[in-house]
């Protein structure tokens, strides 16, 4: 069955229940909009609750001596390796303190010092202690709890168990709603002049990731099929320290927050030698791309007979301190048979964060009328070629609110299309590759360290294994999204013939500012193939 059997209407449909989606929904509701939030799982099941470190923000009267918003901007630009949009960075970071204040007003409780001010830690790439946290290393869980409670208390309707299949569009291409499926495959229509994608990341492209099972790149695929460009999708940040649980680990692996390194832990190999010695001036607190690449190089040496992980030595922290400061990490370590107070923690890099995404401005607008994006699915220009630690929750809070305000302004200004003009097509047919095969080839050829031949192998494997399928189940929607996003990623990675940030080309190891100081933009051809397009003027689009 492909024809929709039911319809719901709203002013704004938000896809996703993480920090960006719920922040946008709450702000839109406060502006008087009729809002409907939809998620393919349960409201609490997104990426946000797994975020450990915290929110990077410089709060008035609660910052290191000499720290400032300007310094936070400077650290972000350094981490982004020349690809950040400076105006976007300044705008988003400047809005951070007010956004965190509103989050606290909505009930989020952050860790405090004895003097009542917020506790702060330092993470990789930061030159100051400016990361506020909750529950020690459970910041994302507290942010998600507070936002879900606020949404329920504020009567923001959340439609759980419904996956977004495709955008509904007018004959001129404006987005005016969504085609969705419930878990039984029953199709429905959500009609709205504005759709905000807040669908998170794409970690399930790889065998091992810090992301949950729902992170299958759905929003990127939906946006591409709706005619929106994506940018910088080749930049996938691998978190340097995911708990190593044995050879062949698959799916979501426990994260070991870099705040552990912020508290003095160091990376060592099986012989006890320091991994980051002489690699970077910040040593173990270097930006994530630097640390992940250094670990990967070190593992290749196989020192001490171990070539698939290194160790994070936090034994300088006594057991009570470690357990109090990092309860989530402590529990994961004990479950894996490691006591971090007496033995170094085995760690390895794993897919963590998509630095690119749907091309938007800092207000979440895409070039497609009626389509907005916020959070990890969006490319605002904040992250560039590598995300600065703990800027992600900040971006979700700030851009979520800005996107809601942009929708309200566009509605009031008559800039959005009439939903009566929607063309409701049949369920789409799309190429679907075998997920296990896809994850294997992406992990082998398109993770840390890529080259032309390997990227071509990924494309060939996807071509051979993909079959055209009607997207009539959630699994098929997800696998089709992974297939399309993988193709977009390898197209971008093959095009960018340099190494920069978390995009490392072993056949082009140098950074090339003369040729590549601009985003890599991908669109779909009429036949559905992702292809790079010439750089466009990004005025008004961060």
């Amino acid at each position: 069955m492909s024809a929709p059997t039911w319809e719901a209407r709203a002013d704004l449909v938000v896809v996703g229940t993480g920090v960006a989606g719920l922040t946008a929904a709450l702000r839109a509701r406060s502006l008087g909009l009729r809002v409907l939030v939809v998620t393919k799982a349960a409201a609490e099941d997104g990426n946000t609750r797994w975020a450990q470190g915290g929110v990077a923000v410089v709060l008035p009267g609660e910052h290191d001596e000499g720290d400032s918003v300007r310094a936070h901007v400077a650290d972000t630009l350094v981490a982004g390796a020349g690809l950040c949009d400076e105006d976007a960075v300044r705008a988003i970071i400047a809005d951070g303190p007010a956004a965190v204040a509103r989050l606290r007003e909505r009930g989020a409780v952050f860790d405090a010092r004895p003097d009542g001010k917020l506790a702060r830690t330092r993470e990789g790439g930061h030159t100051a202690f400016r990361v506020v946290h909750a529950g020690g290393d459970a910041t994302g869980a507290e942010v998600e709890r507070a936002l879900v409670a606020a949404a329920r208390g504020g009567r923001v309707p959340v439609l759980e168990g419904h996956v977004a299949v495709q955008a509904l569009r007018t004959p001129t291409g404006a987005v005016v709603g969504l085609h969705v499926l419930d878990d039984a495959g029953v199709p429905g229509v959500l009609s709205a002049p504005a759709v905000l994608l807040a669908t998170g990341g794409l970690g399930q492209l790889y065998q091992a990731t810090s992301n949950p099972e729902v992170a299958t790149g759905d929003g990127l695929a939906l946006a591409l099929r709706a005619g929106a460009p994506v940018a910088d999708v080749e930049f996938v940040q691998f978190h340097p320290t995911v708990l190593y649980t044995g050879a062949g680990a698959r799916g979501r692996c426990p994260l070991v927050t870099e705040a552990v390194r912020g508290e003095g832990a160091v990376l060592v190999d099986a012989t006890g030698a320091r991994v980051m010695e002489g690699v970077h001036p910040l040593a173990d607190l270097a930006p994530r791309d630097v640390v992940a690449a250094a670990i990967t190089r070190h593992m290749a040496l196989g020192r001490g007979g171990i070539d698939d992980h290194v160790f994070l030595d936090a034994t300088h922290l006594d057991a009570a301190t470690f357990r109090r400061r990092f309860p989530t990490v402590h529990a994961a370590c004990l479950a894996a048979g490691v006591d971090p107070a007496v033995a170094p923690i085995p760690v390895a890099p794993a897919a963590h964060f998509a630095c690119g995404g749907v091309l938007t401005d800092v207000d979440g607008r895409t070039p497609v009328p009626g389509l907005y994006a916020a959070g990890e699915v969006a490319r605002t220009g904040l992250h560039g070629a590598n995300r600065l630690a703990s800027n992600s929750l900040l971006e979700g809070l700030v851009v979520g609110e800005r996107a809601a305000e942009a929708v309200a302004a566009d509605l009031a200004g008559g800039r959005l299309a009439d939903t009566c003009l929607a063309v409701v097509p049949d369920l789409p047919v799309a190429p679907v590759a075998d997920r296990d095969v896809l994850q294997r080839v992406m992990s082998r050829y398109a993770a840390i360290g890529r080259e032309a031949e390997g990227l071509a192998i990924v494309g060939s494997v996807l071509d051979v294994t993909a079959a055209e399928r009607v997207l009539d189940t959630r699994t098929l929607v997800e696998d089709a999204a992974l297939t399309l996003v993988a193709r977009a990623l390898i197209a971008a990675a093959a095009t960018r013939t340099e190494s920069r940030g978390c995009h490392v080309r072993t056949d082009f190891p140098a950074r090339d500012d003369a040729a590549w100081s601009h985003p890599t933009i991908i669109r779909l051809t009429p036949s559905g193939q992702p292809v790079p397009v010439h750089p466009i003027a990004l005025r008004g689009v961060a």
Side-chain angles (χ1 to χ4, degrees):
M1 177 171 59
S2 60
T5 60
W6 57 270
E7 180 179 1
R9 294 182 176 273
D11 297 319
L12 169 64
V13 170
V14 176
V15 190
T17 54
V19 59
L22 290 180
T23 298
L26 287 163
R27 179 60 178 143
R29 172 81 178 185
S30 74
L31 293 170
L33 302 188
R34 294 176 302 148
V35 183
L36 176 60
V37 180
V38 61
T39 177
K40 64 184 179 182
E44 300 89 351
D45 285 346
N47 263 11
T48 293
R49 72 186 179 103
W50 299 106
Q52 290 183 356
V55 183
V57 63
V58 180
L59 296 173
E62 298 192 50
H63 56 77
D64 284 3
E65 183 177 353
D67 195 18
S68 64
V69 169
R70 179 179 296 180
H72 188 180
V73 167
D75 289 348
T76 299
L77 295 176
V78 169
L83 275 196
C84 296
D85 181 295
E86 290 193 28
D87 290 339
V89 173
R90 292 191 185 96
I92 292 170
I93 290 178
D95 281 357
V100 170
R102 284 188 287 273
L103 176 64
R104 296 176 73 186
E105 290 170 0
R106 289 176 175 138
V109 178
F110 287 89
D111 296 337
R113 303 185 315 200
D115 63 5
K117 293 184 177 181
L118 293 186
R120 303 186 310 275
T121 192
R122 181 181 169 196
E123 295 183 348
H126 289 276
T127 56
F129 285 74
R130 66 169 71 100
V131 178
V132 299
H133 47 81
D137 58 0
T139 309
E142 173 59 14
V143 170
E144 184 73 3
R145 180 206 63 75
L147 290 173
V148 169
R152 288 172 175 158
R155 298 188 180 89
V156 175
V158 178
L159 184 64
E160 298 178 309
H162 285 73
V163 64
V165 181
Q166 61 184 336
L168 302 183
R169 303 169 70 191
T170 68
T172 60
V175 168
V176 285
L178 288 175
H179 204 165
V180 299
L181 290 173
D182 69 10
D183 286 338
V186 177
V189 162
L190 306 179
S191 293
V195 172
L196 171 66
L197 300 176
T199 51
L202 43 72
Q204 293 297 324
L205 282 176
Y206 298 93
Q207 289 176 285
T209 177
S210 64
N211 295 187
E213 292 184 359
V214 295
T216 51
D218 304 0
L220 281 175
L222 187 147
L224 279 166
R225 296 191 188 109
V230 300
D232 294 339
V233 291
E234 67 270 37
F235 296 106
V236 179
Q237 185 182 78
F238 278 67
H239 198 288
T241 54
V242 167
L243 183 64
Y244 176 83
T245 56
R250 301 294 297 271
R252 195 192 75 80
C253 302
L255 194 67
V256 180
T257 174
E258 64 194 283
V260 178
R261 281 176 280 137
E263 300 293 337
V266 296
L267 290 159
V268 298
D269 64 21
T271 70
R274 291 278 298 272
V275 172
M276 294 303 297
E277 183 116 35
V279 174
H280 189 278
L282 293 176
D284 294 85
L285 287 174
R288 284 178 177 171
D289 62 319
V290 175
V291 181
I295 292 173
T296 301
R297 292 192 301 269
H298 213 89
M299 291 190 302
L301 300 175
R303 291 178 176 171
I306 294 177
D307 63 0
D308 57 359
H309 65 281
V310 294
F311 298 89
L312 183 62
D313 188 351
T315 54
H316 69 290
L317 297 174
D318 63 74
T321 300
F322 194 102
R323 184 170 57 252
R324 180 179 66 254
R325 178 64 183 85
F326 305 110
T328 306
V329 174
H330 187 261
C333 288
L334 293 185
V338 177
D339 184 347
V342 298
I345 306 166
V347 294
H352 183 55
F353 192 89
C355 299
V358 183
L359 191 63
T360 75
D361 63 13
V362 293
D363 298 312
R365 292 186 180 94
T366 78
V368 176
L371 185 65
Y372 304 77
E376 189 175 353
V377 72
R379 186 271 184 191
T380 61
L382 175 65
H383 305 302
N386 179 56
R387 178 180 71 111
L388 181 65
S390 289
N391 268 357
S392 58
L393 290 177
L394 177 78
E395 183 184 37
L397 291 169
V398 171
V399 181
E401 290 202 343
R402 295 180 72 126
E405 292 162 3
V407 170
D410 291 347
L411 277 169
R415 292 185 285 272
L416 300 181
D418 188 338
T419 58
C420 294
L421 300 176
V423 176
V424 183
D426 290 337
L427 290 173
V429 176
V432 178
D434 179 87
R435 186 182 299 201
D436 182 68
V437 172
L438 180 150
Q439 290 175 335
R440 287 179 183 275
V441 295
M442 288 293 292
S443 299
R444 173 64 179 84
Y445 299 109
I448 301 175
R450 306 151 176 183
E451 43 83 32
E453 182 178 355
L455 294 170
I457 289 172
V458 177
S460 297
V461 169
L462 295 180
D463 288 341
V464 169
T465 63
E468 297 285 327
R469 302 287 299 274
V470 177
L471 305 187
D472 56 3
T473 69
R474 170 179 160 177
T475 297
L476 286 171
V477 170
E478 291 179 332
D479 287 350
L482 288 171
T483 303
L484 177 55
V485 172
R487 284 175 164 164
L489 191 155
I490 63 172
T495 300
R496 183 173 288 277
T497 51
E498 66 157 357
S499 291
R500 180 189 300 264
C502 49
H503 170 67
V504 178
R505 284 287 298 264
T506 56
D507 49 353
F508 293 93
R511 174 168 155 175
D512 185 354
D513 285 331
W516 287 108
S517 293
H518 60 77
T520 312
I521 298 169
I522 302 289
R523 288 184 184 272
L524 290 193
T525 65
S527 63
Q529 293 298 312
V531 296
V533 298
H534 292 297
I536 61 173
L538 295 181
R539 178 174 295 178
V541 179

